[in-house]
Amino acid sequence: VFAGPQEPGEESRNLQIEGVTHASRAHVASAFGPDFGKSVYLVPLAERRRNLLAVNWVRDVTVLRVWPNEVLVRITERSPVAFVQPPQSETVLIDAEGVLLPIDNPAEFRLPVLTGIRTVHGESERRLRVRKMQRLLEEVGPRSEMISEINAADPENLKLTITVAGRALGLLIGNRRFRQRLDNFQK
């Protein structure tokens, strides 16, 4: 029998959850609520996997039955690449696929700030903007330390906020040859 938690907030002895750092452990466990008290062999693994893929921070998940009476859940969490603050919304994180992620503890992340992302943008539109930002950061290499913000509202003409001699400056940098354009500016 697949036993539920003995006390509220306690985990089930039959449900093993691995790989959870930022996702809500309680949310992951609650996906199995309908299964407690039933045989572990009646747990619909594919359905539970689909439910877990909808949980914030979960990029991929494996759900396995383990003999004699356990269910093992292995979570692969998403990796944030930037802070984002959509208009009329609180600051969130975004991953390389354009998925917005809630933040519990912003101090644990050292990431760039990406603006120009709107909640009305679909994942594919957000993904395009994130990839432009990542390409820019990769191309400029160590000089990315001088960039405090990247505005990707127009992915064909990125705007940077950079710090030069203690002053913040706005710089339109286009959509390619980022290192060369930053070099030209610094000459």
Side-chain angles (χ1 to χ4, degrees):
V1 172
F2 194 50
Q6 304 303 309
E7 298 288 328
E10 187 179 284
E11 288 190 26
S12 165
R13 65 181 180 267
N14 301 98
L15 180 62
Q16 303 303 316
I17 301 170
E18 298 176 355
V20 173
T21 303
H22 301 288
S24 165
R25 204 169 187 78
H27 199 117
V28 169
S30 71
F32 293 89
D35 304 315
F36 291 127
K38 297 178 184 173
S39 169
V40 72
Y41 296 100
L42 297 177
V43 175
L45 300 183
E47 182 180 337
R48 295 302 170 252
R49 181 178 185 278
R50 281 190 303 276
N51 294 347
L52 291 170
L53 286 171
V55 173
N56 286 332
W57 286 93
V58 175
R59 183 172 57 84
D60 197 14
V61 61
T62 302
V63 183
L64 305 166
R65 284 186 191 90
V66 179
W67 189 84
N69 63 349
E70 288 185 7
V71 172
L72 173 62
V73 178
R74 288 190 179 129
I75 303 281
T76 302
E77 290 189 325
R78 294 182 175 281
S79 298
V81 296
F83 285 101
V84 174
Q85 185 167 9
Q88 288 88 37
S89 189
E90 54 187 70
T91 302
V92 295
L93 295 167
I94 193 166
D95 77 348
E97 297 171 9
V99 176
L100 299 175
L101 305 164
I103 311 172
D104 289 332
N105 182 9
E108 71 182 272
F109 299 100
R110 184 157 161 46
L111 299 168
V113 174
L114 177 62
T115 60
I117 301 286
R118 306 281 181 253
T119 52
V120 296
H121 291 151
E123 275 185 28
S124 62
E125 190 66 31
R126 293 191 302 258
R127 184 180 315 116
L128 168 73
R129 287 165 166 72
V130 169
R131 290 201 173 138
K132 291 277 188 174
M133 175 206 71
Q134 288 181 302
R135 201 174 92 222
L136 177 142
L137 293 173
E138 186 177 305
E139 196 174 308
V140 299
R143 290 193 185 145
S144 64
E145 294 295 320
M146 66 191 299
I147 300 171
S148 59
E149 185 176 297
I150 301 163
N151 185 327
D154 178 1
E156 296 305 311
N157 195 11
L158 299 180
K159 291 182 194 177
L160 306 181
T161 302
I162 62 172
T163 305
V164 177
R167 297 180 58 199
L169 299 174
L171 180 63
L172 294 173
I173 198 156
N175 66 354
R176 61 186 180 285
R177 298 190 336 254
F178 301 118
R179 190 177 72 216
Q180 178 185 359
R181 290 176 180 187
L182 198 54
D183 286 347
N184 289 342
F185 170 75
Q186 288 185 307
K187 290 181 181 180

